[in-house]
Amino acid sequence: MERSTDVYNIHYNQYLHNKNFISKGINNQCENFYDWEITVDFYAAKHLIEAVLSLQCGIHEVCTHQDRSRYLNNNNTVFSRRLITKYNSLQSISRTARYRGATMVDEDDSLQAQNLLEDIEFELKSYILAS
């Protein structure tokens, strides 16, 4: 069985990897890939949330989006209603970007996704281990 810190590190490192891609890979100003920007913002948030779920709630494996939503809602001492609403909004925008295509999202959607990720990061900053 993996320890909380092991699972935390897996998800937190993936979160950092996604953030690195956002800052170096996507924001190159050469072309607009709003669908990918939104998708990576969502997956950065997903991994950050799963890192916190592991460390703070002892939940080491999340198999589905439905499971993650249930865990968020059942751990309201860690995850505020505001955070859950932000996460659900980011997930919805990401679903549109991933499954309805690049023409269904634009720069405003991408900026909204970035802002939602930043809000989620701010809400969870007290749970993030010093790296």
Side-chain angles (χ1 to χ4, degrees):
M1 171 125 185
E2 291 182 284
R3 295 180 323 197
S4 295
T5 53
D6 294 338
V7 175
Y8 171 89
N9 287 332
I10 290 167
H11 288 291
Y12 189 72
N13 288 332
Q14 186 63 45
Y15 155 75
L16 293 175
H17 178 73
N18 289 350
K19 289 287 291 186
N20 192 36
F21 179 69
I22 291 166
S23 67
K24 293 181 180 165
I26 288 177
N27 292 331
N28 62 24
Q29 306 300 316
C30 294
E31 267 189 76
N32 298 322
F33 293 100
Y34 301 125
D35 56 330
W36 284 108
E37 291 175 19
I38 293 165
T39 300
V40 176
D41 285 334
F42 169 72
Y43 279 102
K46 172 212 170 292
H47 283 288
L48 180 58
I49 285 170
E50 288 189 23
V52 173
L53 277 169
S54 174
L55 197 62
Q56 298 297 318
C57 306
I59 298 167
H60 306 303
E61 186 174 345
V62 180
C63 296
T64 67
H65 293 298
Q66 292 82 8
D67 286 345
R68 190 174 312 98
S69 291
R70 188 176 73 251
Y71 295 141
L72 287 171
N73 286 306
N74 290 339
N75 289 284
N76 57 10
T77 57
V78 175
F79 303 103
S80 70
R81 178 59 39 206
R82 178 182 169 342
L83 178 137
I84 294 167
T85 299
K86 300 277 185 183
Y87 176 77
N88 289 339
S89 295
L90 181 54
Q91 183 179 23
S92 178
I93 296 168
S94 176
R95 187 176 290 119
T96 299
R98 289 189 324 266
Y99 300 117
R100 298 204 55 217
T103 61
M104 298 302 294
V105 293
D106 59 20
E107 184 177 12
D108 289 339
D109 296 314
S110 179
L111 291 173
Q112 182 183 8
Q114 289 171 22
N115 289 333
L116 289 166
L117 175 58
E118 288 171 7
D119 289 347
I120 291 166
E121 291 168 329
F122 180 79
E123 291 249 354
L124 295 177
K125 71 180 177 183
S126 65
Y127 299 109
I128 298 170
L129 295 176
S131 317

